[in-house]
Amino acid sequence: MVKVVFQYNVPKEKQAEYLRITQDTIKPFWEAKGCQSYSVWQEADSETGFVKEMLFESGPGMKETMSLKESEPVKETFFKFAVDVSRKIITKKV
């Protein structure tokens, strides 16, 4: 199991649109392409802080899914809202 964790900010005035597009477009896209779970969380102590978790069966599967050419418009949509993005790839050990 591989988890990809993104930490980022979304300006307050863009959050409602970001969450709607994520629910209607971004999440269904990734889950149809091999992502087993796609979750977005808002940080409790930040008005703009978000965390996104994507779960994949394996590292090679994650790399294949994340590099799909057809994912470019979805990634561009995400980056229209998200700023100060960091990413960690985590593998389950226990």
Side-chain angles (χ1 to χ4, degrees):
M1 184 69 62
V2 174
K3 181 186 290 193
V4 184
V5 179
F6 293 84
Q7 190 168 7
Y8 54 97
N9 290 291
V10 177
K12 257 185 113 169
E13 64 276 5
K14 293 184 175 183
Q15 289 178 12
E17 183 181 9
Y18 164 68
L19 293 171
R20 181 185 55 76
I21 289 173
T22 297
Q23 183 67 37
D24 295 346
T25 305
I26 298 173
K27 176 181 170 77
F29 174 85
W30 288 117
E31 289 181 342
K33 301 296 181 188
C35 177
Q36 294 183 333
S37 174
Y38 186 104
S39 301
V40 174
W41 305 78
Q42 187 165 15
E43 295 179 18
D45 59 352
S46 171
E47 290 186 350
T48 61
F50 284 82
V51 175
K52 172 174 71 171
E53 297 178 332
M54 299 172 75
L55 295 178
F56 295 90
E57 183 65 36
S58 67
M62 179 269 305
K63 287 179 183 178
E64 181 179 328
T65 298
M66 297 293 279
S67 66
L68 291 171
K69 186 172 179 83
E70 65 208 74
S71 72
E72 292 306 316
V74 175
K75 291 176 185 177
E76 289 173 11
T77 299
F78 171 74
F79 283 106
K80 282 179 21 183
F81 298 99
V83 295
D84 304 322
V85 179
S86 67
R87 179 184 82 167
K88 291 182 182 180
I89 299 172
I90 304 163
T91 56
K92 188 172 183 178
K93 297 297 181 183
V94 178

